[in-house]
Amino acid sequence: MNSNRLPLFTRADNFVKDLTLTSNQLLLIVCAYIALILNLPFLFKSANAITGLDDFNWLFLITFPIFLFSITLLIQSLFAVKWLIKPILIITVIISTLMFYATLTYGIVFDYGMVQNTVESDSAELLSYLNLYAVVFFIVFAVIPAVLICSIKISYQPFLKELFNRITLFAGATLITVLIGTIFYSNYASVGRNNKDLIDYITPYKGIDSIYKFARKHYFYPPLKFQLLDTSPQIINKNNNKHVTVFVLGETARAQNFSLNGYNRLTNRYTANQDVISFTNISSCGTATAVSVPCMFSRLNKSNYDKRLATSQQNVIDIVHLAGTDVLWISNNNGSCKGVCTRVNTQQIATTKSNPLCDGEYCYDEALLQPLREKLHKLEYDNTLIVLHMIGSHGPTYFKRYPSNKILFTPDCQRSDIQNCTQEQLVNSYDNSIAYTDYVLNQIIIELSRLSETEDVASSMLYVSDHGESLGEKGMYLHGLPYAFAPQEQTHVPMIFWASAQVSNSTPDIDLTCLKNKSTNVFSHDMVFDAVLSITSVKSKTHHIKNDPFYGCKSASFVPLPLLESAKKIQTQSSGEH
């Protein structure tokens, strides 16, 4: 048969099968693909940084991709061993494509925190990113190149000649790297000094380095001895009246989309009528749940937070529980409590489809209300803390966070590849999720109000989100960027407090007028530990009164001033061990 009459794909397949390259040629082609295609986000960001220099040099800009290519070639040459060269190149292309997709589509970079967040995410959350666009992207940029690499024949030379050729290639790449680096040293220094985040975009080596560091720290370091920060915390309740605190742990809610904080859309139409106090200047400890949740409940502050250390010592939930408080953690977040609730009673909302509020993978946050009601009807202790962990506004499937009968803003984005929705649709979906969170918070307040009215129980609710979210601002989506250069959308979080009338009349009491006057002060997740102690009326030597927005608005006898020094000593010890 005439080969010209063969189908196009058959001829292409035959061409690839017949194509024979030396190992060096294969390295050159694949490294060029990794450096010049799969690193496009890094190259574009670098180009913007270079052209922004006062002494902008066109030659520096032109040689920059060559510099990246030569470094890629150097790294890959080190692992170009016979029989392993193809598997390693294929794995590198696959990892690079995944990172390329995440960075190009959502603005995500794979630093240590993102690796930790990814590893600790459940399968349902990871599958929420799967869509037709992602599948096609992966096939085009990873599967097809991987098949091509696998199909190409490699013509290996005798060992000594192969070794000589590899050394020659390595030496050539080294020479190019050194020459460009030397000639444009001042330019590289200037760009690096003013754009420290650039290194986080290098694909795939920054991600691989982060994976290595995460694995080394979490799987190879021996566990630390568990430390008791306070062995004798006490509940201060001179009137012996019952008190219930509901701590609502929000998910992916950013403060600027709350109408309580001045947003021009009525996203808080329910709680606006409940005389709540909204704290408008709260910053998160991290930009992802895996960091923010254990950090906010830890005595460690953002500046010295280390998860390994945090998990080896009491958190505020432990201390409140040790003081004699009945603690229950109810989660509608499949990512679990990140180790915070390990030593208290927990309840996970089942996502079974038999529950009309669930779809088999996720449940609407209204599912938290029934177990809350059941707990409120069976109060066995004078002091009770109930933590409700929401799914909140977790993306990219914002449209799955609110039922159809609670849609307020249309048209919304009914897909997971949110970058392909209009900005209006995306914001509408996100605002619907915030408005639904507000609805659930209002239902919690109603339950607590009913309890207070019928059984004269002092009750309060504190809502805090773990981190914020980017909705396409500056090309960024979702969350998880390194904190050093994360936008405010990912770090500015809401905090809402509500209390029944009995709280103002209890001992120790909370002066709500005083608290409102503090609502515009600058706070951070560092104060959550202390706020929980205050609200639950637990006195502990771990209490940092200067961190606590409630201190000064409570009975003066709640925390003796000498305890401040003890609290400072605890933090100094923790920092020293770290």
Side-chain angles (χ1 to χ4, degrees), residues 265 402 407-413 423-433:
R265 281 181 151 182
Y402 50 89
I407 295 177
L408 299 177
F409 309 105
T410 58
D412 58 350
C413 177
Q423 186 66 15
E424 178 190 14
Q425 291 172 328
L426 179 57
V427 173
N428 283 343
S429 286
Y430 185 80
D431 284 349
N432 281 329
S433 70

Side-chain angles (χ1 to χ4, degrees), residues 175-193:
L175 179 62
I176 293 173
T177 303
V178 171
L179 280 176
I180 295 177
T182 303
I183 294 171
F184 299 104
Y185 173 79
S186 60
N187 301 91
Y188 280 106
S190 180
V191 170
R193 183 171 56 252

Side-chain angles (χ1 to χ4, degrees), residues 375-439:
K375 182 62 179 178
L376 294 179
H377 292 160
K378 298 179 182 178
L379 296 178
E380 301 175 353
Y381 290 72
D382 288 340
N383 211 35
T384 302
L385 171 63
I386 305 169
V387 180
L388 303 179
H389 192 179
M390 288 181 149
I391 189 66
S393 301
H394 199 289
T397 51
Y398 305 118
F399 68 96
K400 291 186 177 182
R401 305 296 168 245
Y402 50 89
S404 58
N405 64 347
K406 291 294 187 295
I407 295 177
L408 299 177
F409 309 105
T410 58
D412 58 350
C413 177
Q414 292 280 326
R415 55 197 298 175
S416 62
D417 51 337
I418 54 179
Q419 73 282 359
N420 292 320
C421 287
T422 66
Q423 186 66 15
E424 178 190 14
Q425 291 172 328
L426 179 57
V427 173
N428 283 343
S429 286
Y430 185 80
D431 284 349
N432 281 329
S433 70
I434 296 295
Y436 180 65
T437 291
D438 187 68
Y439 169 78

